[in-house]
Amino acid sequence: MREQNDESFEFDVSVVGLGAMGTLMAHALLKQGKRVAIWNRSPGKAASLVAAGAHLCDSVETALVASPATIFVLLDNHATHEVLGMPGVMHALANRTIVDYTTNAQDEGPALQGLVNRAGGHYVKGMIVAYPRNVGHRESHSIHTGDREAFEQHRSLLEGLAGHTVFLPWGEALAFASVLHAHAFAAMVAFFEAVGASERFGLSVSKTARLLLDTSRFFVADALEEAARRLEAQDFAGDQARLDVHVDAFAHIAQSLHAQGAWTPVFDAVCQVAQRAASMGYGNQDIAAITLSFAHDKAPGH
Amino acid sequence: MREQNDESFEFDVSVVGLGAMGTLMAHALLKQGKRVAIWNRSPGKAASLVAAGAHLCDSVETALVASPATIFVLLDNHATHEVLGMPGVMHALANRTIVDYTTNAQDEGPALQGLVNRAGGHYVKGMIVAYPRNVGHRESHSIHTGDREAFEQHRSLLEGLAGHTVFLPWGEALAFASVLHAHAFAAMVAFFEAVGASERFGLSVSKTARLLLDTSRFFVADALEEAARRLEAQDFAGDQARLDVHVDAFAHIAQSLHAQGAWTPVFDAVCQVAQRAASMGYGNQDIAAITLSFAHDKAPGH
């Protein structure tokens, strides 16, 4: 699945920046049979990749020239600008695509896109929704934004880093990344908090973690699926999971946790949100109606 | 799969209390080919079950006598005591098992067990980890406690209400139910909060809900699986997901949410928990080490 291009390239993709994530990405692409060129400020980091078949370039310029698309995975935005300022790089950007997975602030991506575009290149910003162990996993997801045409041209390559990808315009991509991570990390930390609390009841933390995971997996997955369905259908009928019944149950759960001296700020916030939604009149609706209580015209004053 | 018993019973199971949950349980058992006797204070509620093959008893006493096990799904503990006080009930409890799915407070179950045991019966307390739509689902889970032998005798029957079940002693069962529900409901409410916040960025709430669910499903499931593994192995090496990196990322996410005026008490609590764990010295460990920061000797004063 090599990129179709007028030019003939010696490599399918270059990877610039061989920290943990860049190295894993390059390995994943090599495993998929891609011809991979690499560059890193400290060439020592390239040894395992060279052994696996990657070609080590002696400059960023060479890496850019070698492939139609170059993946950047650098330390931060400052490092990206340093690399773009290296000799010959601006000239080498012409008709090339940078796919930038470097973590940076919200306004830094569009600025980089402008810089690359002015040099005649294309800029795609990527965010991988995966820990290093799942780079290259077909169940992993990524979000891309920037130059849509360049993204579409290299989509199959990028799907080698995360099996599912979605392209969104800048504003939507950054907003979606924020709410996605807020949800995902809250789900994780709520799990740590609950497992941590189990110790107060004299339960084994490691046994509880496994049992809790097994017992809640289908319940939570089904509840979120049902919530997505109800939000799509705007159907909040209280036939399954009335909010006011939950508010009472939450109070009992919080009481039993606090009675053991457990510190549960995440669940306490959950109780606060549910109580507030009930007091706003959603009590006889489905628990998913809590979502509506966050609407901009219903927010508490700041 | 009828219960093996010395006595020969006219029915496999009786269901007392035909609210939404009791009715669904009776229907699920009928669908599985069980011979089901039912009773309800208002017999009108029994019509659909009688049409589906259930036998309507004229008293709780008759329902108890008809089957080796009787499922109670009543309004509350008060209702349970009322039913147990009905004519002939105490006498009919001898050599019978009550499986009580009535929601009640933590100390009420053991008191009911004592009452039933003194009448020569067995008492099993059940908690179904499922919304009504998933009663009888083979992926649903339940927790049981009380008389273990009686539970084992009726295990296959109870697995007809939720495919997976675990029996724990009283204290463990109630503690586990608390932390399980704290985790599960926090995961749900965090999802509602994140989807609700997306509206502040001008995103469509219903489209975001679906995309967020699809994009986060594997990421969260894998992260929790990894956390359970790390807690079992006591392995918090920071090779994948260092806590201090998360603390920085969380701060950026919170900032972008707040900049849009989003009200995010759940995610704010998540930030607070992560920051506190990092300040306690877990920063260079895996994010799952947050669990350790909740230990009893590490709690903030109350």
Side-chain angles (χ1 to χ4, degrees):
Chain A
M1 297 221 300
R2 296 201 180 144
E3 306 295 330
Q4 299 301 310
N5 231 294
D6 295 330
E7 275 186 84
S8 139
F9 291 97
E10 204 180 339
F11 294 93
D12 296 312
V13 59
S14 300
V15 178
V16 163
L18 300 175
M21 206 67 168
T23 301
L24 285 163
M25 285 180 168
H27 273 298
L29 293 164
L30 283 168
K31 262 192 211 157
Q32 291 157 28
K34 295 282 185 283
R35 300 170 305 170
V36 180
I38 54 176
W39 179 87
N40 194 61
R41 190 181 296 265
S42 340
K45 286 203 173 179
S48 78
L49 282 165
V50 169
H55 171 73
L56 179 60
C57 299
D58 58 4
S59 72
V60 176
E61 182 191 7
T62 319
L64 280 168
V65 170
S67 311
T70 295
I71 290 170
F72 274 27
V73 205
L74 299 160
L75 185 65
D76 54 19
N77 192 55
H78 180 73
T80 310
H81 280 278
E82 270 192 356
V83 163
L84 291 175
M86 286 179 175
V89 165
M90 275 298 136
H91 190 257
L93 282 173
N95 299 314
R96 293 293 185 278
T97 294
I98 302 289
V99 187
D100 188 6
Y101 289 102
T102 305
T103 302
N104 52 21
Q106 303 237 339
D107 53 344
E108 293 168 345
L112 285 166
Q113 182 180 13
L115 191 67
V116 173
N117 287 170
R118 283 191 295 277
H122 311 292
Y123 181 86
V124 174
K125 168 77 189 167
M127 292 168 274
I128 289 220
V129 188
Y131 286 120
R133 61 183 173 272
N134 289 319
V135 168
H137 197 297
R138 64 182 186 82
E139 289 299 318
S140 287
H141 285 250
S142 62
I143 306 165
H144 290 91
T145 186
D147 288 323
R148 185 188 286 264
E149 208 177 308
F151 163 78
E152 291 299 347
Q153 194 187 338
H154 299 291
R155 178 192 273 270
S156 76
L157 179 81
L158 303 178
E159 284 172 349
L161 301 176
H164 302 271
T165 184
V166 62
F167 183 94
L168 297 169
W170 274 107
E172 286 181 42
L174 299 176
F176 180 65
S178 289
V179 299
L180 169 70
H181 287 112
H183 156 63
F185 293 128
M188 291 181 209
V189 174
F191 179 75
F192 305 149
E193 179 181 279
V195 173
S198 71
E199 186 231 20
R200 303 307 187 95
F201 292 91
L203 301 182
S204 149
V205 163
S206 63
K207 281 185 194 164
T208 302
R210 176 61 59 192
L211 189 59
L212 203 164
L213 192 54
D214 288 344
T215 309
S216 66
R217 195 179 285 116
F218 173 74
F219 182 58
V220 173
D222 175 78
L224 296 187
E225 180 61 39
E226 171 81 354
R229 187 194 68 73
R230 283 180 180 270
L231 287 161
E232 285 172 336
Q234 291 289 299
D235 163 20
F236 302 106
D239 55 319
Q240 290 282 321
R242 276 171 64 115
L243 175 56
D244 51 11
V245 175
H246 282 80
V247 169
D248 289 347
F250 289 7
H252 282 293
I253 295 165
Q255 200 175 10
S256 86
L257 295 167
H258 297 166
Q260 299 298 321
W263 181 63
T264 55
V266 176
F267 190 66
D268 295 349
V270 164
C271 292
Q272 184 194 357
V273 165
Q275 269 166 356
R276 179 170 169 275
S279 75
M280 287 164 73
Y282 296 111
N284 63 355
Q285 298 190 25
D286 186 84
I287 185 176
I290 286 178
T291 313
L292 309 179
S293 75
F294 291 100
H296 68 281
D297 55 342
K298 300 200 170 70
H302 281 274
Chain B
M1 298 219 301
R2 297 206 178 141
E3 306 295 330
Q4 300 300 310
N5 231 295
D6 295 331
E7 274 187 84
S8 138
F9 289 97
E10 203 179 340
F11 294 92
D12 297 311
V13 59
S14 299
V15 178
V16 163
L18 300 175
M21 207 66 168
T23 300
L24 284 164
M25 286 180 167
H27 273 298
L29 294 163
L30 283 168
K31 262 191 210 156
Q32 290 157 29
K34 295 281 186 285
R35 300 169 305 169
V36 180
I38 54 176
W39 180 87
N40 195 60
R41 190 183 293 268
S42 339
K45 287 204 174 179
S48 77
L49 283 165
V50 169
H55 171 74
L56 180 60
C57 299
D58 59 3
S59 72
V60 176
E61 182 191 8
T62 318
L64 281 168
V65 170
S67 310
T70 295
I71 290 169
F72 275 26
V73 205
L74 298 161
L75 184 65
D76 55 20
N77 193 54
H78 179 73
T80 310
H81 280 278
E82 272 194 353
V83 162
L84 291 175
M86 286 179 174
V89 165
M90 277 296 137
H91 190 256
L93 283 173
N95 299 315
R96 293 294 185 279
T97 294
I98 301 288
V99 186
D100 187 6
Y101 289 103
T102 305
T103 303
N104 52 21
Q106 304 237 338
D107 54 343
E108 292 169 345
L112 285 167
Q113 182 181 13
L115 191 68
V116 172
N117 287 171
R118 283 191 296 278
H122 312 291
Y123 181 87
V124 174
K125 168 78 190 167
M127 292 167 275
I128 289 218
V129 188
Y131 286 121
R133 61 183 173 272
N134 289 319
V135 167
H137 198 296
R138 65 185 185 82
E139 289 300 318
S140 287
H141 285 251
S142 62
I143 305 165
H144 289 92
T145 186
D147 288 322
R148 185 188 285 264
E149 209 178 306
F151 163 77
E152 292 298 348
Q153 194 186 340
H154 298 291
R155 179 191 271 271
S156 75
L157 178 81
L158 303 179
E159 284 172 347
L161 301 176
H164 301 272
T165 184
V166 61
F167 184 94
L168 297 169
W170 273 107
E172 287 181 41
L174 298 176
F176 180 65
S178 288
V179 299
L180 169 71
H181 286 110
H183 157 62
F185 292 128
M188 290 181 211
V189 173
F191 178 76
F192 304 148
E193 180 182 279
V195 173
S198 70
E199 186 231 20
R200 302 307 186 95
F201 292 90
L203 301 181
S204 148
V205 163
S206 63
K207 281 185 192 164
T208 303
R210 175 62 59 191
L211 189 59
L212 203 165
L213 192 56
D214 288 344
T215 309
S216 67
R217 194 180 286 114
F218 174 73
F219 181 59
V220 173
D222 175 78
L224 297 186
E225 180 62 37
E226 171 81 354
R229 187 195 68 73
R230 283 181 180 270
L231 287 162
E232 284 172 337
Q234 291 290 297
D235 164 20
F236 302 107
D239 55 321
Q240 290 282 321
R242 277 172 64 115
L243 175 57
D244 49 11
V245 175
H246 282 81
V247 168
D248 289 346
F250 289 8
H252 283 293
I253 295 165
Q255 201 175 10
S256 87
L257 294 167
H258 297 165
Q260 300 297 323
W263 181 66
T264 55
V266 175
F267 190 66
D268 296 349
V270 164
C271 292
Q272 184 194 359
V273 165
Q275 269 166 356
R276 179 170 169 276
S279 74
M280 288 165 71
Y282 297 111
N284 63 354
Q285 297 190 25
D286 187 84
I287 185 177
I290 288 179
T291 312
L292 310 178
S293 74
F294 291 100
H296 69 280
D297 55 342
K298 299 198 170 71
H302 282 273

